[in-house]
Amino acid sequence: MNNSLTSRAKKLFINVLMLVISCMWLIPIWMMMIYATHPDNVIFSGELVFNPGTDFLKNFAILQGKQDFSMAIFNSVIIAGVSTLLGLLVASMAGYALARFAFRGRNTLFALIIFILAVPSAAIVIPEYIIVVKHMGLSNNYAGVILPYLANAVGVFFMRQSFLNLPAETLEAAYLDGASEWKIFYSIALPIVRPALASLGIILFVAHWNDYLWPMLVMTSEQYQTAPIALGRLIGLANIEWGAMMVGASLMTVPFLLLFLILQKQIIAGITSGATK
Amino acid sequence: MANIQMQQLKKNFGDIPVIKGIDLDIKDREFICFLGPSGCGKSTLLRLMAGLEEISSGEFLIDNKRMNDVPASLRGISMVFQSYALYPHLTVRQNLAFGLKIQKLPSDEINNRIREVARTLQLSELLDRKPKILSGGQRQRVAIGRAIVRRPKVFLLDEPLSNLDATLRVSMRVELARLHEELQATIVYVTHDQVEAMTLATRVVVMKDGAIQQFASPLELLHRPANIFVAEFIGTPKINLFKVEVQECGPQSITVTHALFSNPITVSIAKEIKFAAGTKLTLGIRPHRLSTKQSLDCTISAKVTIVERLGTESLLYTDLGLETLVICSAAGTVPIIRGDQITLGFSSANCLLFDDHDQAIERCLPADVQLLIS
Amino acid sequence: MLRNRYTPYAFLSPYIIIFSVFWLVPILFSFAMSFMNTRSRTWQFDFFLNWGRLLEDELLWQALKNTFLIIALQVPAMLMLAVFAAVLLNSKDLNFKGLHRFAIFAPIVVAEAAYAVIFRLLFNDNFGFVNNMLALINIDAIAWTNSSSGATALIAIGLTWRWTGYNAIIILAGLQNIPKDLYEASELEGTSPWQQFTKITLPLLKPAILLCLVLSTFGTLQLFTEPTLLTEGGPGGSTTTVAMYMYSQGFKSFNFGYGSAIAYLIVFLGLTLSLLQFKLFGGKPDE
Ligand SMILES: Nc1ncnc2c1ncn2[C@@H]1O[C@H](COP(=O)(O)OP(=O)(O)OP(=O)(O)O)[C@@H](O)[C@H]1O
Ligand SMILES: [Mg+2]
C-alpha cells in the first residue's frame, strides 16, 4: 500500500519535472514563431503574447526588403545539398577503401584522419581563407564554400565503420559474378549501408546548413550569402527588425524541426555511432 | 564438363604456409569433398580455385588450361558460400540475374535461365522476395541457384549445409546428390562433416595442416586408410589403437603381441615388408569389429566403464589403462551394464597395421569387404 | 579477391586530394605563418614575433579568461542536466516520451545563428520575454547584455539550450547499454535507487560522460557564432572568446601570422585539456 503510494508520487514527480524542462526547452522555438507573426510594436510594448498573430507575410516582406532572404535560403539549399551529396560520395569511397582493401599506407592514412578529427576547424580557417579566396579566387563562388566541406574526417570514419561490418562473402560473391571493383562498390556495398548513408547525410546536411563562419568569409556579397549569414547581417543593422528576423529564423529552422520529427531515429543513430565507436 | 589439376599448389599468408604443395587430379563430373579438421586449409584451397586468393606457387589447371592468373569470373566456376552471401537489397530474381547482367546476356536468355533454375530448385514462388524474409533452407537454395544459373563448369561449395538444422541438412544433402546427377558438372565441396563427405563424394580429399593425407573413394578411406590420421578421422565411433610389438615377420604376414592380448596375433599383409623383432607398430581395430559374443583369433578381457545406448547399437567403453578408452559396438539391446567384466574378441583379418612412422602397412582386405571401385 | 594494387588509391583519391589541399596544406601553412611577420610587405620569418606576442597580449588573456569562464560554468552544469534528462527520458515512469524527447533533442538541428537571434530577442534587457516574465513574479529586470556577468550567463544559457539534447543522446545511448539485470540483481540485495544511481549507473556512464566532456570542451573552445550574434563580444569585451579574437586578428587586422599562432594555441589548449580530462576522469569504468 505504502509502496504503491510512494511509487505513484515518484511517477508524478518525474512527469511534472520533465514537463517543466520540456516547456522551457520549447519556449524559444514557440516564441520565435509567435513573434514572427506580430508587428514589432507588440514586441517593443513588452506585452506578453502567446498566440499567433496575423503579420507573418508583412514581416516577411520587411525581411525580404532588408536582405534577399529567399535567395539566401536558395543558396543554403544549394550549398548544403551539393556538399552533402558529394561529401557522402567522397567519404564512402574513402571509407570503403580503408575498410575493404589492404594496401600500403593504410594505417598511416587512418591515423592521420583520426588526428584531423581532433583539429578544430576554426584553427585552419585563416590559411583556408588565404588558399580558397586569395589563391583560388573562389570568393562568392559556391565551389569555394563547398570544396573544403568535402574532406570530412567524421564521414570517412563513420563510413569505414559501416563498411567494416559488411560480410566479406557478399562482396566476394559479386566479384565471382564478374562485377568490377566500382560495380561491387556502388551496386552492392553502397546499397547495403544505405541506413548509415542516411544518418550521415542528415548530419552533414544540418551541419552545412547551419555553418556560419566559413560561408561568411567566402560569400561576401548579398547575392551569394547563406541564410545564417543573412540573419547575422540583420543583427548588424542599426535598426533591428525583430519580427522580420524571427521570420528568417523560422524559415531556416522549422523545416528542420519537421525533418527531425520524421528522421529522429537516423539523426540519433548518426550522433551515437559517430560518437561511441 | 571439366577436369581439374593441381601441381605443387602452395599458398602462404605472409610467412605462414597454409597450403603446402597440393597435387590433385580431379576427373570430369566428379563430386569431390575436401574433408579435414578446422583450420587445415580446406577453405583456403577452395578459394585458391575460385580466384579469391592469389596462388603463391604451383600450377592450377581447369580443362588443361592454366588458371593461376585468370580472373575469377572467367574461370568457369561458381561458388556457394557458407553464409549464403546473398545480396540483401536485391530480390531473389535480381540475385539470380546479377551475374548474368554483368555478362550482358540478352534479357530473354536471362529470364529463361532464371525460370529454369527456379523450377529445378522450387524457387518460383519466391522470386520477388528479398532474402531477409526467406528461411534458412530457402536462402540456401537461392545461393545454389545463383551458382547454377551461370552454368559453370565447376561448382565450389564451402560448407553449404553447416548453417542448417539437422533435418534440413539431410534433405538438402539428398537434393545436392540429385543436382549432381542432373547438372553433370564437376563439384568440389568443403565440409568437416564426414557423413556428408562419405554420402556425397565420389572421392574424398582428406587434409591436415595444408597437406593431403589421402585422396580416395569413401569406402577406400574406411578400409584402406593411408595412415593413422585418416584411420582415426574417418569412421565413427573412432578406431581403437594398440601399440603392439613385432614378434615375427614373414613374407605374407606379421605376428604382433600386446600385453592385453590373450595371444600373439598374425596379420596377413599384401606386400612383403621387413621389420626387426621388437619393432613398435600400431594395430587398429574398428569398434564394429570387436565382438562380445565370440572369442575369435584373439581376445581382450575388459571391464565396462560406460554404456551408451544409441538405439540400433550400444557403445561399450572399456578402460584398459591405455591413452583412450577402447570402444566396442554391440547390439542395441545387449544385456551388458556398467561394471560388467567382458571379453572382446576380434579376428586378424579385420586388423589394420601401421608402421613406426604411422603409415599404413598394405593389408589384404577381409572377405566381406568390397571397395566397389569402378 | 585478386585485386589491382592501385584500386584502393583510386577510391581514396578524391578524399586525399581534397584533404591535402584543404586540410593538410592549411595546417602546415598555418604553422609556417605563425612564425612569420605577415604584415610586412613581403612576409618574412620572424621566429618569436607572434608566439612572443601571445604571452604579452592583454586582450588575448582577457579572451582566454572569458572562454575558460564559460567552459568552467557551462560545461559541468550542462552535463549534469544532460545526465539528469537522460535518466528521466529513460525512466519507465515517464509518459509522453516522444514529446519530451522532441523538446530536448530538437535544438540540435537549430542553427547557431538562428537561436542566437532568438535568444537576443527573448533576453533583451528592455522588452525581452524573459525580463517580462521575471517582472510577473516581481524580480527586477536583469541586464543580460549590459553587464558582463549577465552576458556570460546569457551565452551559457544559450549553449545549454542548444547542446543539452546532443549530450543527452550520447548519455542515453550509454544508459541503454547498461544491462538490465545489473539493476535487478542489486534490487534483490536491497540497494536503494540513489545507491543504484551512484554505484551502478554513474560508473558505467563514465565513458559516455567523458566523451561529452571532451567534445563540449573542444566545442566551447572554438565558440564564435553565439557571442558574435548574441552579445557581440561585449559589454566591454567581457564575452569576447579566443576564436572571436583570432577572427578579429586574422580578418579585421589582417594579421594572418598572429591569427595562426592563436589558432595553434587553441589546438594546443584543446589537446591539453582533453588529455587532462582523460587522465582525471578516464580509466576503466569499474575502477
Ligand atoms: N587471410 C588470411 N590471413 C592469414 N591467415 C589466414 C587467412 N585465411 C586463413 N588463414 C589461416 O589459414 C589456415 C587455414 O584456414 P582455412 O579457413 O582454410 O581453414 P578451414 O580448413 O577452412 O577451417 P574451417 O573448417 O574452420 O573452416 C588457418 O590457420 C587460418 O588461420
Ligand atoms: Mg573453412
Side-chain angles (χ1 to χ4, degrees):
Chain A
M1 199 60 211
N2 188 11
N3 209 343
S4 90
L5 203 69
T6 54
S7 84
R8 268 184 19 221
K10 182 180 149 207
K11 193 169 168 173
L12 187 71
F13 177 70
I14 285 178
N15 277 285
V16 169
L17 199 63
M18 198 65 221
L19 198 67
V20 172
I21 299 177
S22 291
C23 284
M24 278 169 54
W25 249 248
L26 287 174
I27 281 175
I29 291 171
W30 179 250
M31 293 315 293
M32 163 189 81
M33 295 192 283
I34 296 304
Y35 285 136
T37 59
H38 286 284
D40 278 6
N41 51 25
V42 172
I43 296 173
F44 291 135
S45 71
E47 174 191 343
L48 283 168
V49 282
F50 291 102
N51 291 321
T54 53
D55 275 22
F56 183 79
L57 289 178
K58 265 189 210 154
N59 283 336
F60 179 74
I62 297 172
L63 172 70
Q64 194 61 25
K66 295 276 176 191
Q67 293 277 323
D68 190 348
F69 206 79
S70 334
M71 190 64 199
I73 294 271
F74 174 79
N75 291 333
S76 280
V77 170
I78 296 285
I79 288 175
V82 172
S83 12
T84 301
L85 289 180
L86 290 181
L88 282 179
L89 184 68
V90 172
S92 1
M93 283 171 69
Y96 182 72
L98 286 171
R100 313 272 9 162
F101 290 82
F103 57 92
R104 180 179 293 183
R106 177 168 75 168
N107 294 339
T108 321
L109 187 65
F110 187 58
L112 205 60
I113 289 172
I114 297 289
F115 171 71
I116 291 299
L117 275 177
V119 176
S121 58
I124 59 157
V125 72
I126 289 176
E128 191 110 281
Y129 174 82
I130 295 175
I131 290 173
V132 171
V133 173
K134 294 255 153 95
H135 292 300
M136 298 183 153
L138 292 177
S139 121
N140 290 316
N141 188 322
Y142 290 127
V145 181
I146 292 171
L147 281 173
Y149 285 161
L150 301 184
N152 185 297
V154 180
V156 176
F157 190 70
F158 184 81
M159 290 317 296
R160 172 182 171 272
Q161 206 62 44
S162 316
F163 285 122
L164 277 179
N165 292 336
L166 285 190
E169 292 191 342
T170 306
L171 303 181
E172 287 174 349
Y175 172 71
L176 293 185
D177 267 340
S180 64
E181 293 284 1
W182 179 251
K183 173 109 182 152
I184 298 174
F185 170 68
Y186 83 78
S187 61
I188 303 294
L190 265 193
I192 299 181
V193 298
R194 214 160 34 195
L197 280 177
S199 289
L200 180 62
I202 298 163
I203 303 255
L204 289 182
F205 192 87
V206 172
H208 297 149
W209 179 276
N210 291 347
D211 198 15
Y212 184 74
L213 181 55
W214 181 242
M216 180 178 79
L217 291 173
V218 179
M219 303 304 216
T220 47
S221 95
E222 188 181 328
Q223 194 196 338
Y224 287 105
Q225 71 188 352
T226 60
I229 312 306
L231 273 189
R233 294 205 172 119
L234 282 174
I235 278 274
L237 299 179
N239 233 335
I240 298 181
E241 304 279 355
W242 290 106
M245 205 149 67
M246 290 305 113
V247 170
S250 305
L251 286 178
M252 60 175 297
T253 305
V254 173
F256 282 91
L257 293 175
L258 296 178
L259 192 79
F260 182 79
L261 272 183
I262 305 164
L263 298 173
Q264 195 172 352
K265 230 199 204 141
Q266 281 84 346
I267 295 177
I268 289 178
I271 290 175
T272 46
S273 56
T276 51
K277 278 180 185 162
Chain B
M1 324 290 119
N3 56 59
I4 299 168
Q5 273 108 39
M6 295 178 200
Q7 289 150 15
Q8 278 305 302
L9 205 65
K10 286 184 185 150
K11 173 70 185 172
N12 303 330
F13 285 115
D15 296 336
I16 304 159
V18 170
I19 299 294
K20 301 169 183 167
I22 298 277
D23 290 297
L24 206 56
D25 199 336
I26 297 172
K27 299 194 204 81
D28 185 25
R29 293 181 210 179
E30 271 202 282
F31 195 128
I32 299 294
C33 279
F34 291 171
L35 181 64
S38 197
C40 69
K42 307 179 295 286
S43 298
T44 306
L45 187 54
L46 201 72
R47 292 167 60 83
L48 288 173
M49 299 172 71
L52 289 172
E53 305 283 357
E54 206 169 344
I55 294 168
S56 299
S57 70
E59 299 292 312
F60 170 52
L61 302 97
I62 297 179
D63 277 343
N64 307 316
K65 281 196 281 293
R66 190 173 186 273
M67 286 290 159
N68 291 40
D69 305 316
V70 176
S73 56
L74 305 179
R75 290 186 183 190
I77 48 103
S78 57
M79 181 154 171
V80 177
F81 293 91
Q82 178 175 355
S83 66
Y84 317 135
L86 300 179
Y87 310 129
H89 59 298
L90 301 181
T91 62
V92 170
R93 187 192 304 279
Q94 291 165 329
N95 262 280
L96 297 177
F98 186 81
L100 304 181
K101 283 196 181 142
I102 288 174
Q103 288 177 31
K104 300 218 163 54
L105 291 186
S107 62
D108 345 337
E109 168 77 10
I110 295 180
N111 289 337
N112 285 341
R113 286 208 198 175
I114 291 179
R115 203 172 315 128
E116 193 182 309
V117 167
R119 204 178 44 238
T120 324
L121 292 167
Q122 293 134 40
L123 293 172
S124 308
E125 310 289 302
L126 311 175
L127 282 178
D128 294 310
R129 301 201 188 156
K130 294 257 179 86
K132 200 159 80 185
I133 57 169
L134 301 181
S135 71
Q138 289 170 333
R139 285 181 206 180
Q140 185 59 74
R141 291 215 301 276
V142 177
I144 293 172
R146 194 174 59 183
I148 293 175
V149 81
R150 300 181 57 211
R151 304 209 173 135
K153 295 188 283 187
V154 180
F155 285 98
L156 308 176
L157 299 96
D158 193 350
E159 310 208 18
L161 306 186
S162 60
N163 281 354
L164 302 179
D165 65 46
T167 8
L168 210 49
R169 205 178 301 172
V170 173
S171 66
M172 280 306 291
R173 208 165 70 200
V174 175
E175 195 148 342
L176 279 174
R178 178 180 65 85
L179 273 175
H180 179 229
E181 284 293 306
E182 230 174 274
L183 296 171
Q184 298 280 310
T186 311
I187 295 184
V188 180
Y189 184 106
V190 167
T191 179
H192 58 238
D193 177 1
Q194 58 166 295
V195 180
E196 271 172 31
M198 302 301 259
T199 52
L200 287 170
T202 51
R203 286 194 289 168
V204 179
V205 177
V206 180
M207 293 178 66
K208 180 193 169 194
D209 292 341
I212 294 181
Q213 300 296 309
Q214 190 169 7
F215 178 33
S217 73
L219 287 180
E220 215 177 335
L221 291 179
L222 199 62
H223 295 291
R224 264 201 204 127
N227 52 39
I228 292 186
F229 174 79
V230 177
E232 283 201 279
F233 196 73
I234 305 285
T236 39
K238 225 167 159 185
I239 194 167
N240 300 304
L241 297 175
F242 299 91
K243 290 265 175 245
V244 293
E245 199 165 291
V246 176
Q247 188 176 57
E248 199 185 325
C249 201
Q252 274 152 22
S253 67
I254 301 177
T255 306
V256 295
T257 59
H258 190 278
L260 295 167
F261 291 0
S262 59
N263 49 279
I265 182 163
T266 306
V267 180
S268 37
I269 52 174
K271 250 191 270 164
E272 181 172 354
I273 185 165
K274 276 285 162 220
F275 291 106
T279 314
K280 297 271 187 227
L281 302 183
T282 305
L283 180 143
I285 181 98
R286 298 213 179 262
H288 298 97
R289 302 295 197 176
L290 282 177
S291 165
T292 54
K293 294 195 207 103
Q294 296 158 286
S295 51
L296 298 160
D297 298 346
C298 181
T299 58
I300 305 168
S301 66
K303 194 173 164 189
V304 178
T305 47
I306 304 168
V307 179
E308 265 182 9
R309 306 231 176 246
L310 303 180
T312 51
E313 65 175 337
S314 299
L315 299 183
L316 313 176
Y317 291 82
T318 61
D319 190 351
L320 300 178
L322 302 174
E323 274 170 37
T324 53
L325 299 180
V326 168
I327 308 170
C328 165
S329 163
T333 53
V334 70
I336 293 174
I337 56 167
R338 212 181 101 192
D340 282 1
Q341 194 70 35
I342 56 172
T343 305
L344 298 170
F346 58 97
S347 69
S348 65
N350 291 321
C351 291
L352 300 161
L353 276 181
F354 301 93
D355 66 18
D356 38 354
H357 298 294
D358 292 354
Q359 298 304 308
I361 297 168
E362 204 173 319
R363 67 164 181 162
C364 305
L365 285 179
D368 60 342
V369 170
Q370 258 119 46
L371 292 186
L372 306 169
I373 298 170
S374 45
Chain C
M1 293 189 245
L2 307 180
R3 300 183 124 161
N4 187 319
R5 255 174 346 120
Y6 301 106
T7 313
Y9 302 106
F11 274 96
L12 280 165
S13 55
Y15 182 78
I16 290 183
I17 292 171
I18 294 171
F19 172 79
S20 310
V21 175
F22 297 103
W23 279 92
L24 214 51
V25 171
I27 286 175
L28 301 175
F29 184 25
S30 180
F31 191 65
M33 271 195 298
S34 74
F35 292 103
M36 286 187 203
N37 181 350
T38 54
R39 297 176 105 184
S40 57
R41 182 155 305 177
T42 53
W43 294 3
Q44 290 161 348
F45 272 101
D46 186 341
F47 254 75
F48 298 104
L49 177 73
N50 298 315
W51 291 92
R53 186 173 161 197
L54 285 179
L55 297 174
E56 307 162 352
D57 187 348
E58 299 270 335
L59 285 175
L60 174 69
W61 285 96
Q62 175 66 35
L64 276 174
K65 215 184 80 198
N66 298 337
T67 310
F68 279 101
L69 187 64
I70 295 173
I71 292 179
L73 280 177
Q74 190 264 336
V75 173
M78 172 183 67
L79 291 186
M80 274 191 264
L81 188 60
V83 172
F84 189 64
V87 169
L88 287 188
L89 285 173
N90 199 35
S91 160
K92 57 185 186 299
D93 289 330
L94 185 69
N95 298 325
F96 306 112
K97 274 196 183 136
L99 211 73
H100 292 302
R101 220 177 270 166
F102 175 76
I104 304 292
F105 296 168
I108 63 176
V109 295
V110 176
E112 283 89 350
Y115 91 81
V117 301
I118 298 168
F119 273 59
R120 185 152 170 173
L121 172 55
L122 296 184
F123 285 82
N124 187 288
D125 291 358
N126 305 317
F127 50 80
F129 174 83
V130 175
N131 279 351
N132 290 343
M133 291 297 279
L134 291 178
L136 279 187
I137 48 173
N138 284 325
I139 296 181
D140 286 344
I142 295 174
W144 292 110
T145 47
N146 271 327
S147 69
S148 55
S149 53
T152 307
L154 172 54
I155 288 170
I157 292 171
L159 285 174
T160 305
W161 180 82
R162 173 65 167 72
W163 292 100
T164 299
Y166 182 90
N167 291 294
I169 287 175
I170 296 175
I171 292 168
L172 192 57
L175 271 181
Q176 283 161 352
N177 277 341
I178 300 177
K180 292 252 179 326
D181 44 5
L182 279 183
Y183 293 103
E184 283 158 13
S186 76
E187 228 155 80
L188 290 180
E189 290 166 7
T191 322
S192 76
W194 175 249
Q195 279 174 323
Q196 277 187 356
F197 180 73
T198 54
K199 294 270 150 62
I200 301 174
T201 312
L202 270 188
L204 289 177
L205 275 185
K206 218 162 81 174
I209 296 176
L210 182 62
L211 180 74
C212 291
L213 181 65
V214 172
L215 290 178
S216 307
T217 309
F218 249 104
T220 315
L221 215 46
Q222 304 179 61
L223 190 62
F224 176 81
T225 312
E226 288 89 340
T228 305
L229 295 180
L230 255 178
T231 59
E232 297 172 23
S238 62
T239 52
T240 301
T241 59
V242 215
M244 283 173 81
Y245 187 64
M246 177 193 78
Y247 171 81
S248 75
Q249 282 301 321
F251 298 103
K252 290 204 177 121
S253 318
F254 291 102
N255 191 346
F256 292 136
Y258 189 46
S260 295
I262 300 173
Y264 265 90
L265 182 69
I266 295 179
V267 175
F268 174 75
L269 286 174
L271 292 178
T272 315
L273 274 183
S274 45
L275 272 184
L276 203 70
Q277 288 163 343
F278 272 113
K279 269 260 143 54
L280 281 180
F281 306 109
K284 303 258 159 52
D286 54 3
E287 275 173 6

